[in-house]
Amino acid sequence: MRRVSWWKGFVVILSIGILVISGLYVGVLNRLQEQQVELERLREELESLRAEYDRLAGLPELVNLSIRNPITHLYGSGLYIVSGYGLNYWHLLSDSGIDRSIHGFYTVFYAPLDNLTLKMYLFVYPAGVVQIPLTLQMGNALRGESGIVVEKRLNYTVWQSPVIWSVNATENRAYEVILPTRGWYTLSMTGPIQRTSNGSVRYRYMIGGRFVHVRSWVDFQLLKNGKPILFAVLRRYG
């Protein structure tokens, strides 16, 4: 009888121990799950903060550029801080001559970080036949920065900033280019822009000349990890 009672007592104690351990295990498991939920929330918050930092990382430099180059009407200079921008080209042949866009088909912009993605959304009319010579040059091509001599005559010399990407676009689609370093770039819808020693800027006068009506525009953004960031654009040139 004593042995039976001892075993009963042992079983009771063992059962109580199992219940206590199970309760502790469930409590620890619940706490671990709560910690995992909290860690996931903190991870999402950190990713959000990191994405925000990436978008604003170049902002102090852009602000300094803006302070040094304020927008003015008197001299037609200055820059904008933007998250996106657009170029426009059109011409219409008529009996009285050529009506055409004289502003906005090229621009100079500043990338505040290395290895940004330039994403361009192009529309062209008439699509499939007109070629838009979309061109990206290193530096400010209007000043001939890092220019290479492409023509030399007795009375003048022509420089052209290096072309780092170009395409004869005929379709409505998106294009992407990786910008290797931070700094100034020139984007044009009419091919490379050139600078002459007499101070003038040269660019193609008209594209798709055999077509009576040509209309095209390109909207572009700079992306960091797939997200748009702020960048600077010089005031439009004529």
Side-chain angles (χ1 to χ4, degrees):
M1 293 295 294
R2 288 181 178 178
R3 178 171 295 181
V4 173
S5 298
W6 182 87
W7 275 108
K8 286 183 178 179
F10 176 77
V11 170
V12 170
I13 294 172
L14 182 61
S15 299
I16 293 173
I18 292 174
L19 289 174
V20 171
I21 293 174
S22 298
L24 292 173
Y25 174 78
V26 171
V28 170
L29 183 61
N30 288 336
R31 285 197 295 272
L32 285 175
Q33 289 176 340
E34 291 174 357
Q35 289 177 353
Q36 287 178 342
V37 171
E38 180 66 13
L39 286 173
E40 182 63 21
R41 185 188 68 80
L42 292 174
R43 186 189 67 79
E44 292 176 356
E45 185 175 339
L46 180 61
E47 288 297 325
S48 177
L49 290 173
R50 183 179 291 113
E52 188 67 18
Y53 172 79
D54 286 341
R55 286 194 292 271
L56 300 177
L59 186 56
E61 186 172 2
L62 295 179
V63 171
N64 289 334
L65 283 173
S66 180
I67 291 173
R68 294 196 300 269
N69 299 276
I71 295 293
T72 64
H73 294 286
L74 182 61
Y75 300 107
S77 62
L79 56 81
Y80 302 95
I81 296 177
V82 298
S83 60
Y85 204 67
L87 306 181
N88 177 71
Y89 174 91
W90 69 269
H91 75 245
L92 180 63
L93 302 181
S94 64
D95 293 338
S96 59
I98 302 174
D99 295 325
R100 68 185 182 94
S101 168
I102 59 173
H103 294 282
F105 52 88
Y106 58 89
T107 193
V108 179
F109 66 91
Y110 186 84
L113 301 170
D114 295 339
N115 298 315
L116 294 177
T117 299
L118 169 63
K119 188 162 189 176
M120 299 159 283
Y121 304 88
L122 177 72
F123 170 85
V124 56
Y125 171 85
V129 287
V130 171
Q131 291 188 347
I132 304 298
L134 198 56
T135 304
L136 181 67
Q137 292 172 266
M138 183 74 75
N140 185 340
L142 305 178
R143 296 179 178 174
E145 291 180 352
S146 304
I148 300 170
V149 175
V150 294
E151 184 179 350
K152 196 167 187 178
R153 298 191 178 182
L154 292 177
N155 56 343
Y156 70 88
T157 303
V158 179
W159 289 274
Q160 179 178 295
S161 296
V163 174
I164 60 175
W165 178 86
S166 66
V167 63
N168 287 321
T170 61
E171 300 177 355
N172 302 327
R173 52 161 292 188
Y175 295 90
E176 291 188 1
V177 184
I178 301 298
L179 306 179
T181 61
R182 70 178 184 177
W184 293 102
Y185 294 86
T186 303
L187 182 63
S188 169
M189 299 180 68
T190 60
I193 292 175
Q194 298 175 339
R195 178 83 178 191
T196 66
S197 56
N198 61 11
S200 63
V201 175
R202 300 203 316 188
Y203 49 82
R204 189 181 301 191
Y205 177 76
M206 189 172 66
I207 57 180
R210 65 188 180 89
F211 295 95
V212 172
H213 185 201
V214 173
R215 179 68 189 269
S216 181
W217 66 79
V218 56
D219 294 326
F220 68 94
Q221 295 176 308
L222 298 189
L223 308 180
K224 174 72 173 181
N225 297 325
K227 302 293 184 181
I229 71 162
L230 297 175
F231 60 99
V233 176
L234 284 180
R235 185 182 177 94
R236 289 187 189 275
Y237 289 82

